Amino acid sequence: MPAGEIGKAAEGEVTATIGGRAVLVCGSSTVAWVNRSAAVAEWSHMRAAVRDRYGTPDVVRVEDLPTPAPAEGEVLVRTRAASVNRADLDGIQPRPQFVRLFMGLRAPRQPQIGVDVAGVVESVGAGVTRFRPGDEVFADLFAAGHVGTFAEYVSAPEKAFQPIPPGMSFTDAATLPHSAILALQGLRTRKGRTVQPGEKVLVVGASGNVGPFAVQIAKALGAEVTGVCSSAKVDFVHLLGADEVLSYEEVNFTRLGRQWDWILDTDSHHSVFAVRRALRPNGVYVTLGGEAWPLVGALLGGPLIGRFSDKHMGLMIWWKPMHPPDVDRLKELIAAAKVKPVIDRRYPLSEIVDALRWVGDGHARGKVVITF
C-alpha cells in the first residue's frame, strides 16, 4: 500500500501505511492524523541527483535525501526547472584536474550537483525580507557557494535569488543564471570596457551553453559577430544571428591571418600566444574555461602579453555570479526580444544521466533543462 493510503483491514478496522509501517486507524481523528503524517513523511524527503566519486555521467544516480530546512537568512525553493552547464560536467569529471584541490582530491566533498535553478519559494528562514512563500525565483547557487539544484528542493541564502521576470517560464528562467551572466560579463573587461557598435567579435564555442547568449548579446551591442562551432551546428549558429560561422573542424581561427576586436572563448583549446595573432591592436581576449594548459597560459601569459603590448588577454577571474545590475540588464535584453533562451532538450530528473551525457558529448544546441 503506498504511503498514506488508507484501506480496509477487517470488519470495523482501517489500516494505513506511513513510511512503510502499517498503522491501525480508529476513528476520524486518527484518519486525519494519518493524512497529516503521510504528508509530512513525503515532504521530509526529496529526490536528488548525487555522486560519490569522480567519473563519467554514469557515476550520477538519483536517490532520496532529507529535504533541507531553511536556516536563518535562507530561502527554501521547490525546484521547477534546472539547467545543465559545462561546469556541472567539469565537476563530475574534474577538468582541469587541479580543481580537485577545491572539490576533494580523491572524491567529491559535496555529493549533490547542479548550480542553476528556477522555482517557487516554499518557506523562508528567520530574517528573510525579500521573498515570501509563493514567489517565483531563479538563481546560480555558485554565487552562494552552494550546489545541488538537480533536486526537488534547494535551500540557499536569500541573496542568491532574484525574482523571475513576469511571464517568463521556469524552463527559460533556468537557462539564464550561469550561462547568460557569463556571456554578458565575458563581453566586458574588468575595468568596464565593453563591445562597441561596429566592432568585430569572435565567439568560440558559439553553439553550447554560453555561446548562444554571447552571440545574441554581441549582436544587441551592435557588433559584427563570427561564431566558431562544429560543422554540424553551423546552421544553428547562423539562426542565432551570427554574421559568419566558422567550423573548427575545417579551419583554425588562429591561423587564418584574420583579426577581431574581441574574442570570447567559452572553452579554450589554443594558447594565448596563438590567439594573439588573431587579435587586433588594443583588442580583448577573454576565456571562460577549457583545458588546463590554455587556462594556465591565459592566467599567467595573458597579463604578460598585456604588459608588453596593447592587447588585453586573460582568464575571466572577475566573474560575479548573478550580479544584480547584470541580471537587470539581461532582463532588459530579453524584454526587448534581443536575447532569447534557446532550449535544445528537456529531461525529467530520472533521466539526469542522459541529460548530462548529451551535453558532455557535445550534442546540445543551446541549453538542456531538467524539469520537475
Side-chain angles (χ1 to χ4, degrees):
M1 185 183 299
E5 184 175 327
I6 299 176
K8 283 283 185 179
E11 188 66 30
E13 296 180 344
V14 179
T15 61
T17 302
I18 299 177
R21 178 180 297 177
V23 178
L24 182 63
V25 178
C26 302
S28 60
S29 61
T30 310
V31 171
W33 174 82
V34 167
N35 289 333
R36 289 195 302 270
S37 298
V40 169
E42 180 180 359
W43 189 84
S44 65
H45 285 80
M46 66 176 186
R47 301 291 284 167
V50 300
R51 90 290 196 219
D52 52 21
R53 65 185 190 277
Y54 296 125
T56 68
D58 295 304
V59 304
V60 177
R61 64 189 185 277
V62 177
E63 64 178 36
D64 286 336
L65 293 180
T67 300
E72 182 176 358
E74 288 191 343
V75 175
L76 177 68
V77 172
R78 185 180 185 94
T79 306
R80 297 293 301 275
S83 71
V84 178
N85 292 285
R86 179 70 242 184
D88 301 320
L89 276 302
D90 290 345
I92 295 169
Q93 192 166 24
R95 190 189 69 133
Q97 285 292 319
F98 62 72
V99 299
R100 287 174 181 255
L101 295 172
F102 312 101
M103 300 174 57
L105 286 175
R106 294 173 179 262
R109 285 190 287 266
Q110 167 58 265
Q112 288 186 249
I113 55 175
V115 293
D116 278 348
V117 65
V120 179
V121 174
E122 186 81 12
S123 62
V124 300
V128 171
T129 58
R130 294 175 54 228
F131 300 111
R132 61 184 181 181
D135 286 347
E136 297 181 354
V137 296
F138 66 141
D140 176 355
L141 293 194
F142 192 95
H146 287 230
V147 293
T149 60
F150 299 143
E152 292 174 327
Y153 291 91
V154 297
S155 186
E158 174 186 25
K159 65 181 181 180
F161 295 94
Q162 293 287 337
I164 293 176
M168 180 177 287
S169 69
F170 289 111
T171 52
D172 279 353
T175 69
L176 302 174
H178 193 79
S179 296
I181 295 297
L182 271 173
L184 187 65
Q185 294 180 3
L187 295 171
R188 185 180 67 231
T189 68
R190 191 172 195 166
K191 295 182 178 180
R193 175 184 166 186
T194 190
V195 173
Q196 298 301 306
E199 287 190 326
K200 295 181 182 295
V201 173
L202 181 72
V203 178
V204 184
S207 62
N209 298 305
V210 178
F213 288 114
V215 169
Q216 295 178 80
I217 293 170
K219 288 298 296 180
L221 294 172
E224 180 182 322
V225 180
T226 300
V228 178
C229 63
S230 66
S231 298
K233 299 179 183 179
V234 167
D235 289 342
F236 168 70
V237 177
H238 270 302
L239 290 174
L240 293 171
D243 299 285
E244 180 186 16
V245 184
L246 305 175
S247 168
Y248 62 74
E249 295 170 323
E250 298 176 7
V251 298
N252 179 342
F253 76 89
T254 70
R255 296 182 177 276
L256 287 178
R258 297 174 55 185
Q259 293 186 321
W260 288 266
D261 298 291
W262 201 291
I263 300 176
L264 177 61
D265 198 343
T266 67
D267 195 16
S268 295
H269 293 83
H270 301 286
S271 75
V272 290
F273 300 100
V275 173
R276 67 175 177 173
R277 295 193 298 260
L279 202 59
R280 284 181 168 179
N282 201 35
V284 176
Y285 169 74
V286 176
T287 179
L288 308 181
E291 301 293 339
W293 286 115
L295 288 187
V296 172
L299 185 63
L300 302 177
L304 185 64
I305 291 172
R307 180 179 292 272
F308 296 101
S309 74
D310 57 359
K311 298 181 179 182
H312 311 275
M313 310 183 71
L315 177 66
M316 193 177 80
I317 56 176
W318 57 90
W319 175 42
K320 296 180 180 179
M322 290 296 279
H323 187 47
D326 289 329
V327 174
D328 291 340
R329 176 58 177 151
L330 190 59
K331 290 179 180 179
E332 292 172 1
L333 290 169
I334 292 172
K338 293 183 176 180
V339 171
K340 181 180 180 180
V342 180
I343 298 175
D344 180 48
R345 291 192 173 192
R346 297 170 174 83
Y347 292 84
L349 180 62
S350 60
E351 297 177 13
I352 181 66
V353 172
D354 292 333
L356 292 166
R357 191 182 293 119
W358 184 256
V359 174
D361 290 344
H363 298 308
R365 290 169 166 83
K367 296 290 290 186
V368 167
V369 177
I370 308 301
T371 57
F372 294 79

